[in-house]
Amino acid sequence: MSETAAPVPAVSHITPGTSRPRSARISLAALQIVLGLFYAIASALPKLIAHPSAVEAFDKLGWGHTGMYVIGALELAGGIALLVPLLDSVAAVALSALMVGAFIVNVTVVHGPYVATPLILILPLALIAWARRSHTTELLRLVRRRA
């Protein structure tokens, strides 16, 4: 073998029928679990139990309790859906859209120190949406079959 040719790594760690190594699939699943728990517990729960900090923030926006509960319910649904294999890609796209809205509100109304947080959260959500895009195809196939 010449010195310029790199050895080809063995692909024995790739499960038949998949294109990703086992470690990548495990890392992606762990990311989904962490984000799912974050959205369900750290983000949605304060809104759904009307924690004073959430109430104050939504009152400042002028959205009141209704807006707070709607956003909390959307975050809870998205967090749970991230943990459901057939829904994970769609949930990641929906939560990304919610984060775009959160970024716009942070920039135009709140002007707080955490303006970039929604944008930072979009990155792993986009990774999940892209990596699990076959689940969206499967979901569409199931929906079309039932229609």
Side-chain angles (χ1 to χ4, degrees):
M1 172 166 30
S2 81
E3 291 182 31
T4 58
V8 177
V11 291
S12 61
H13 62 283
I14 296 177
T15 306
T18 66
S19 60
R20 283 187 211 84
R22 184 171 185 256
S23 59
R25 290 191 319 274
I26 291 171
S27 297
L28 189 60
L31 179 63
Q32 285 178 242
I33 291 168
V34 168
L35 281 176
L37 291 174
F38 168 78
Y39 277 104
I41 297 170
S43 192
L45 188 62
K47 295 170 183 81
L48 296 174
I49 64 170
H51 189 273
S53 64
V55 172
E56 179 184 340
F58 279 86
D59 283 345
K60 180 180 177 183
L61 291 172
W63 296 1
H65 283 78
T66 303
M68 180 179 65
Y69 291 132
V70 168
I71 298 295
L74 290 172
E75 289 176 341
L76 179 62
I80 292 169
L82 275 176
L83 306 176
V84 177
L86 200 56
L87 301 175
D88 52 8
S89 181
V90 174
V93 171
L95 286 169
S96 293
L98 195 62
M99 291 300 98
V100 168
F103 173 73
I104 291 169
V105 168
N106 277 326
V107 168
T108 59
V109 179
V110 177
H111 308 293
Y114 305 110
V115 170
T117 302
L119 293 179
I120 293 167
L121 288 169
I122 288 174
L123 295 175
L125 290 169
L127 173 67
I128 292 167
W130 180 79
R132 303 292 194 201
R133 65 192 181 278
S134 64
H135 293 172
T136 303
T137 306
E138 186 178 341
L139 179 63
L140 285 172
R141 192 180 74 245
L142 288 172
V143 169
R144 287 180 182 150
R145 191 178 338 161
R146 288 189 174 223

